[in-house]
Each structure stands twice: as structure tokens, then as C-alpha cells.
Amino acid sequence: GGGASRSLTNEPGIGLRGLVHAQERRRIAAAGAALVDPGDALFVDAGSTTSLFAAALAIRNLPLTVVTNCLPVATSLGAVERCRVILCPGDYVPREGAVFGTEAVAFLGRYKANKAFVGAGGATAAGLSDADSAACAIKRAMLEQSDRSIALVDASKFDVEQFERVAPLPALDDLVTDAAPGRKLAAALG
């Protein structure tokens, strides 16, 4: 017999995920927001940590242009008068508070950003991964179309591999987290 295994393709919705490691995620969000410069064009994907990032960024009241597929991100930054928010079209998924699909991915290809901020369900020496293929496609498109790729990942995601690879670690410029990674992950980060 085999032991019970965790699902690689199923995870709680954005609301439930946001309750876990909330303090750590708020610190990551604030540190990520500090990396943004006035006038930046940003991609921000959907997730609990990126939603907290948007709230922390809104407090800074910077002139920005933000392209996102996430309604909570759009809501937080849309309240900032100096911030232009562009929301991707696509198939709305209520449990994620976001849009996904081929239209969203194609739409992202129209833009270039100074920085992309993405979350992930896992971070290993092999790279970032996530449980949802549609979310992975959005993350990849954002990373490919940005000058600087930044992952916002709390330490509970270290050495966790989910269903689909988002990007290898060398594709990232920065990993913003709440704790030092283990030896193997640290070595892969360089």
C-alpha cells in the first residue's frame, strides 16, 4: 500500500490561501512594494501574496501603470488616482478572483513591463511551480514580457513542487521571501 499523498493540482481558493502565513505574506508584500519605482509599468498576477503586494503598493501612491488579471489587485491599485490599471480580458474564475485563458495570455503579449510580480505555489531548485495550468500560462507570459522578473514567495513554498513548472530559477531576477531558503534551493538561486 501507498501512503496518502498531497494533491499537485488542487489548492484552496485565494480567500483561504490568504489566511495562511498572513504575517509573512504582508512582510513580503511590503518588501516587494519597495522595489517599485515611480513611473514603472508593472505586471501583477493573481494570488493572495500579490493581492497583499498591491495593497502595500497602493499606500505608496506612486504614478504607475499596472496590467493585471486579478480583481483584488485592480481594486487596490485602482483606488490610487496616479495609477492606471489595465485589466486583462478572459474567463473569470470566482474562487481566484481573476481572469485566465487564451485571451488573457494573448492580451499580455501586447505589453512590455519594467517589472513582473508573480506568486507561486512552490519553489524548488528546478524552479517555480503552481497547481493551476491556466495560472502558470499567465505567470509565464508576464515573466517573458518584463525587464525584471520578481517572485513573491513565502518560505512555506520552499521545496514544494506543484503540478506545472512556471519558470526555472535563472529566469527570475529576484525572489522576495520571509526566510532564507534551504541549502539546495539557495545553491540553485546562486
Side-chain angles (χ1 to χ4, degrees), residues 27-98:
R27 285 195 302 272
I28 292 165
L35 298 175
V36 176
D37 297 310
D40 271 351
L42 307 177
F43 287 130
V44 183
D45 87 316
S48 53
T49 305
T50 53
S51 294
L52 291 169
F53 161 78
L57 186 55
I59 293 168
R60 294 193 55 207
N61 191 31
L62 298 174
L64 301 168
T65 299
V66 178
V67 180
T68 187
N69 68 317
C70 183
L71 271 62
V73 168
T75 300
S76 290
L77 293 170
V80 178
E81 190 174 317
R82 297 171 4 136
C83 186
R84 176 183 180 207
V85 176
I86 301 168
L87 189 59
C88 295
D91 298 319
Y92 178 61
V93 178
R95 71 183 237 120
E96 293 301 319

